[in-house]
Amino acid sequence: MNPKTHIETRCVQGGWQPKNGDPLVLPIFQSTTFKYDSADYMGRLFDFDATGHFYTRLSNPTLECVERKLADLEGGAGALLTASGQAATFYAVLNICEAGSHVVSSTAIYGGTFNLFAVTMQKMGIDFTFVDPSASDEELAKAFRPTTKLFFVETLSNPSLKVADLERLARMAHAHGVPLIVDNTFPTPILCRPLEWGADIVIHSTTKYMDGHAQSMGGGLIDGGTFDWTNGRFPSLCEPDPSYHGLVYTEKFGSLAYLAKARAQLLRDIGAVQSPFSAYILNLGLETLPLRMHQHGRNALAVARHLEAHPAILSVQYPGLESNPFHALAKKYLPDGACGVISFRMKAGREAAVRFMDGLKLAAIVTHVADARTSVLHPAGTTHRQLTDEQLAASGITPDLIRFSVGIEHIDDILADIDQALEAI
Ligand SMILES: *Cc1c(COP(=O)(O)O)cnc(C)c1O
């Protein structure tokens, strides 16, 4: 859409743009395949010399519309939807790595991402160095090697809620000839657009705020289209691909080489594609995303302030609070709110944390965050259960930590629920 239109308008009107007599609402093209009149045309589709869809594992009209909207919202050149956020992360890294490659990753990342990197991808021969994103430039520089292919961070980390200094980290990545890949799941493009701060690739778990109603799994990969893949570090993008009859991605697709390769190789070979129905649900969520993100942010700030003043609470982590060490970065990168997720520690420790959660009536205990309903989770006992104590400490998680995902219900009802549960312990 016209980039001059406001993001609220693009959330509603972007992607599907009906022509005369078309359905007003994005249709679900629930078809695995697409019919053509000539074998020759289909052959040209396989060569990327003609446009059109041929098999939903590679592309589908419903997905294409939602991908266009995602790219538009993040300010990217193109996007690709995946079956889940995990698949998006895997593709984002594997697309430019192979056995022998090295990745620099923030320690402040989602537990599932940490396992994917430190266990599964490590087994594939890809080496990872984990760094504290708040470390000095000199410290960070030590992590990079000649084989490093990318720097991976989360804008606002799940669940430790550290704000990444995107501008500085992008500068650091570029000084070492690699892209900055940012998981922007928590802020969504409503609250922060990492590409505007120098990031090169953005990924999402669309399962969270974007869907917003805890209904469909999904992920997204957005290519800023500005990184120079011909700098000598990325031969897989600039040399002939034998699995695609000698295609050279940078020559054929120019600024969209990275995205084209992810589609042509990874969707083709691994196939973690989003279903058209899930993409339709995601699109509905995107239409109301700005309204929800602002309400999440307002409610979360109110809950954070309330907890900070409560005698049973040891500390509250929410970058929207003035007392938070990331407040200055939040003011810069998240001026319109720091999303709905907060975490806090109970003075009385792990037992009290569990009893508090059991006492909540409105907030649901779920393995999920970032949707319309207020929910609560104990990271050390669930999402981060597989991590050792040292790994837990590195990702900022203590046994008494509670992750509270503030929903869009009325703030008075959320606070009343918290108070009655705190009183009961
Ligand atoms: C949930 C989450 C993921 C993984 O996404 P799924 O859709 O659950 O596969 C990745 N990154 C962050 C920050 C998340 O919160």
Side-chain angles (χ1 to χ4, degrees), residues 92-93 96-97 102-105 144 148-152 178-179 181:
V93 175
I96 45 175
C97 288
H102 173 253
V103 169
V104 179
S105 168
F144 289 83
T148 304
K149 303 289 184 186
L150 64 104
F151 189 6
F152 185 94
V178 302
I181 301 188

Side-chain angles (χ1 to χ4, degrees), residues 96-103 121-128 145-149:
I96 45 175
C97 288
E98 57 199 27
S101 297
H102 173 253
V103 169
M121 294 190 84
Q122 192 92 39
K123 271 193 236 166
M124 299 167 71
I126 301 168
D127 211 3
F128 290 80
R145 305 178 190 167
T147 52
T148 304
K149 303 289 184 186

Side-chain angles (χ1 to χ4, degrees), residues 86 106-120 130 152 154 157-160 183 186 208 377 379 382-387 391-392 395 397 403:
Q86 286 299 100
S106 164
T107 46
I109 52 173
Y110 174 65
T113 307
F114 185 80
N115 281 328
L116 171 66
F117 288 173
V119 181
T120 301
F130 294 92
F152 185 94
E154 289 181 11
S157 60
N158 175 8
S160 55
D183 181 337
F186 270 13
K208 311 290 166 56
L377 178 91
T382 55
T383 46
H384 291 63
R385 206 182 177 90
Q386 284 93 355
L387 270 57
Q391 290 169 339
L392 275 179
S395 39
I397 291 153
R403 187 178 68 181

